[in-house]
Amino acid sequence: MHGLLVLGCLWLLAAPPVSSIFQRPTGTPAPPHLQYLLEPLHPTVHTQRGATATLPCVLRALPHNYRVKWSKVEPANYRENIIIITNGLYHKNYGPLSPRVRLRHSHRYDASLTITDVTLEDEGRYRCQLVNGLEDESISLTLHLEGIVFPYQPSNGRYKFNYHEAKRACEQQDSRLATYQQLYKAWTEGLDWCNAGWILDGTVHYPIINSREPCGGRLLLPGVRTYGARDKQKDRFDAFCFTSSLQGSQVYFIRGHLNFKEAGQACRNHGAAIAKVGQLYSAWKFSQLDRCDGGWLADGSVRYPITIPRERCGGLPDPGVRSFGFPSKEMRTYGTYCFLRK
């Protein structure tokens, strides 16, 4: 529901003086356009997947007949989806976040939003809006998950996904399509990939560190190259997926000469599941998983994570998740990587 909720029993409290106890620290005056809302000291809230996060929104005064509306700005369509509306006494939740959100309400001026069991989809920009007739005002906050971007293509080769298939493929690998900001940050951290891929807003890009002939030529400067917005149904590219660490989880290797079916069973025998690509990347990035052994993953690919490059482990000079591609699932050559959530 995207309209404003009409709530009964409005909170009819006289506004206290602006010089209340909720003053900003000395030397940091509130912007003049904010009469009732306090500008947050830290507009970005850092959290982890599976954690509980609170986005601060505190009023300095309580106007008559007001409401506070929380919404999330979705980068895929630039729409604001309402999450919760309150008048101080009553509130109503909306949308898919509804079961996992509540108002902190630690005091009567507190309209902060608490999100439990944070997911990848929760990352992004949020807006806390005071709705008060002609005096509406709002603040914006960003919920940030530390994560990693990885390129992904299916077993049948490059440039096979339309937008919707790319989105689904990332979700199947415990990730989501990356935002442009996430892809750009990954490029600054060394992501170099010559194949173009979809990102969340429906545009197509590829990040280049080392300019070279097959990737736009040597004369083009390094950067995130763009194809712009493409037809989400007809055009086909790879995908850039984003994943993050998950509290209370572990990825580990089981040695053996297993085919794909046996690999899955070996993980289940330990009370785990065969790991997804995003889970292996997360373990490599955040748990420094380093193994020179190729192992099956849930999509039928065989990969191994290297944090300390060495000659006998692929010989490449940089850390990364190496791939053997998608061998025949009947091959009994590899071990398996398992995922366990404790």
Side-chain angles (χ1 to χ4, degrees), residues 110-123:
D110 185 12
S112 302
L113 182 73
T114 295
I115 306 173
T116 61
D117 194 21
V118 170
T119 70
L120 293 173
E121 289 72 24
D122 296 340
E123 179 169 89

Side-chain angles (χ1 to χ4, degrees), residues 5 13 22 30 50 65 71 76 152-153 185 188 201 261 330 334:
L5 173 67
L13 294 176
F22 300 107
N65 301 339
S71 57
Y152 189 75
Q153 58 183 225
K185 183 173 184 289
T188 66
D201 64 3
K261 184 176 180 180
E330 301 304 316
Y334 307 104

Side-chain angles (χ1 to χ4, degrees), residues 123-135:
E123 179 169 89
R125 187 158 64 91
Y126 291 76
R127 191 159 77 111
C128 177
Q129 182 181 15
L130 176 73
V131 181
N132 183 36
L134 298 177
E135 298 179 299

Side-chain angles (χ1 to χ4, degrees), residues 134-212:
L134 298 177
E135 298 179 299
D136 294 358
E137 56 189 56
S138 66
I139 58 172
S140 291
L141 300 109
T142 299
L143 186 65
H144 175 74
L145 277 72
E146 198 65 37
I148 181 171
V149 173
F150 62 93
Y152 189 75
Q153 58 183 225
S155 59
N156 58 342
R158 68 196 289 262
Y159 293 178
K160 300 297 182 182
F161 294 135
N162 67 23
Y163 172 82
H164 306 287
E165 292 164 344
K167 184 174 183 291
R168 187 162 55 249
C170 288
E171 291 166 355
Q172 289 171 348
Q173 296 309 314
D174 193 46
S175 59
R176 65 176 299 193
L177 279 175
T179 64
Y180 182 81
Q181 290 77 11
Q182 290 163 347
L183 181 63
Y184 185 88
K185 183 173 184 289
W187 169 71
T188 66
E189 295 172 349
L191 182 60
D192 182 280
W193 196 254
C194 202
N195 291 354
W198 294 102
I199 63 171
L200 187 59
D201 64 3
T203 58
V204 175
H205 310 267
Y206 64 102
I208 293 297
I209 297 290
N210 302 306
S211 298
R212 51 203 186 272

Side-chain angles (χ1 to χ4, degrees), residues 240-252:
F240 286 105
C241 305
F242 171 83
T243 193
S244 181
S245 60
L246 180 62
Q247 285 189 337
S249 65
Q250 178 188 9
V251 173
Y252 61 92

Side-chain angles (χ1 to χ4, degrees), residues 233-267:
Q233 293 287 353
K234 296 179 181 179
D235 289 327
R236 295 189 174 271
F237 298 95
D238 291 345
F240 286 105
C241 305
F242 171 83
T243 193
S244 181
S245 60
L246 180 62
Q247 285 189 337
S249 65
Q250 178 188 9
V251 173
Y252 61 92
F253 181 75
I254 294 179
R255 188 182 299 277
H257 297 283
L258 309 170
N259 64 29
F260 177 72
K261 184 176 180 180
E262 293 166 343
Q265 187 59 53
C267 292

